[in-house]
Amino acid sequence: QVQLVESGGGTAQVGGSLRLSCAASGPGSESYTLGWFRQAPGEERREFVAAVTRNGVNKYLSDFVKGRFAVSRDTAKNMAVLQMNSLNPADTAIYYCAKYETGYTSILAAGNVDYWGQGTEVIVSS
């Protein structure tokens, strides 16, 4: 059983920064792509934010965070890190760490995720 534990959420001012971490554990968890999705208040679906492959080489960011967020992988600790800069109120959401299933077809699709973290709340206030 794979477990994903997020940390680092909280409240930030507009233009501020937060750093989210996702610690992965369990059989084979170091071998999979990890990512982040978020669910805004009142929204039913989770939208893709970022992802990083198991070796940390390939990184993906959604258009609305490019230039502001960065994703990385600490392979020694089997962690994924999301550095969020220049935050704005539209970034307010629950952020979920995600492990992609073997052979996923789309980095953007929540349906390609087989394990989720418990979520960590990010609030950006003006």
Side-chain angles (χ1 to χ4, degrees), residues 35-101:
W36 297 90
F37 285 72
R38 70 186 187 187
Q39 187 169 1
E43 294 289 334
E44 289 190 0
R45 72 177 189 90
R46 297 177 184 181
E47 63 179 357
F48 170 77
V49 177
V52 58
T53 53
R54 62 182 180 89
N55 57 8
V57 173
N58 295 313
K59 303 173 183 180
Y60 308 90
L61 293 167
S62 63
D63 288 343
F64 51 78
V65 303
K66 282 180 181 176
R68 301 188 298 123
F69 291 13
V71 64
S72 60
R73 189 82 175 250
D74 185 334
T75 55
K77 297 179 181 179
N78 198 16
M79 293 179 65
V81 177
L82 184 67
Q83 178 65 45
M84 305 186 295
N85 301 321
S86 300
L87 288 163
N88 61 61
D91 296 317
T92 294
I94 306 292
Y95 284 71
Y96 294 91
C97 182
K99 173 197 155 300
Y100 288 82
E101 60 191 4

Side-chain angles (χ1 to χ4, degrees), residues 13-27:
Q13 297 288 321
V14 170
S17 299
L18 286 171
R19 183 181 175 94
L20 305 184
S21 297
C22 172
S25 61

